[in-house]
Amino acid sequence: MSDPQKKEDELAGTEQPFVQHLMELRDRLLYCIYGLAVAVILLAIWPGPNGLIDFIAMPIKAHMPPDAKLIAVGVFSPFFVPLKVLMLVGVLLALPWLMYQIWAFVAPGLYSHEKKFALPLIFFGSMLAYAGIAFVQFFVLDKMFGFIQGFTPASVAATP
């Protein structure tokens, strides 16, 4: 007589050696790097680092005098800032792919009822991240820079 409380474990016998886990992790990390490289290359072609910086700087430039420009405070800043922006936006563009690769690495150790959450988690996780970034870019930064510029005396040139 079998106990109805005891169900057969669907993951029994699916264990892999440690080295196989490391090989799977290496493959998933390489897929992440490939996806990130594709995203960065696409962004470098269009809109390019300068277009990305202009888009990101819109909220602060809206509260500066028309002839004012953003300044670079370091010797290598004009070189490294566009690269950093390109990489950061590349990570954001590749976010669904990166989240899928993480999920694909973890999924073999999950039960089937846990695996059904993969697509909703990847989709809603990415969309919520994008919505939060858009909220900050289009609302919070505009209000914050306007508030800060309100305290700048007329005799001081605000040059961020």
Side-chain angles (χ1 to χ4, degrees):
M1 187 171 185
S2 67
D3 186 6
Q5 296 280 342
K6 290 186 179 180
K7 292 184 178 177
E8 184 138 348
D9 187 5
E10 65 185 76
L11 296 177
T14 61
E15 296 85 11
Q16 295 179 348
F18 181 68
V19 173
Q20 191 134 6
H21 285 291
L22 290 178
M23 290 172 48
E24 177 71 16
L25 179 61
R26 180 203 60 198
D27 291 344
R28 295 296 172 185
L29 289 174
L30 285 174
Y31 293 150
C32 287
I33 290 170
Y34 298 151
L36 182 59
V38 167
V40 168
I41 289 169
L42 289 174
L43 288 170
I45 294 170
W46 185 85
N50 293 336
L52 291 173
I53 290 174
D54 289 342
F55 177 74
I56 292 171
M58 280 184 349
I60 195 165
K61 289 178 98 177
H63 296 284
M64 294 173 63
D67 59 337
K69 291 185 177 184
L70 299 176
I71 62 169
V73 294
V75 176
F76 294 109
S77 293
F79 177 74
F80 283 118
V81 168
L83 291 179
K84 289 178 184 180
V85 168
L86 195 63
M87 287 298 292
L88 180 63
V89 177
V91 168
L92 294 175
L93 182 64
L95 185 64
W97 174 253
L98 300 175
M99 290 175 67
Y100 170 75
Q101 292 305 319
I102 293 168
W103 180 264
F105 178 72
V106 174
L110 299 176
Y111 292 105
S112 59
H113 69 279
E114 296 169 331
K115 290 180 184 179
K116 67 182 176 184
F117 293 114
L119 290 178
L121 284 175
I122 291 170
F123 177 76
F124 287 115
S126 299
M127 291 303 112
L128 287 173
Y130 295 146
I133 292 166
F135 176 71
V136 168
Q137 177 70 18
F138 297 116
F139 182 74
V140 174
L141 291 178
D142 183 48
K143 301 297 181 198
M144 182 186 76
F145 290 133
F147 178 76
I148 291 171
Q149 291 295 337
F151 286 102
T152 306
S155 60
V156 175
T159 54

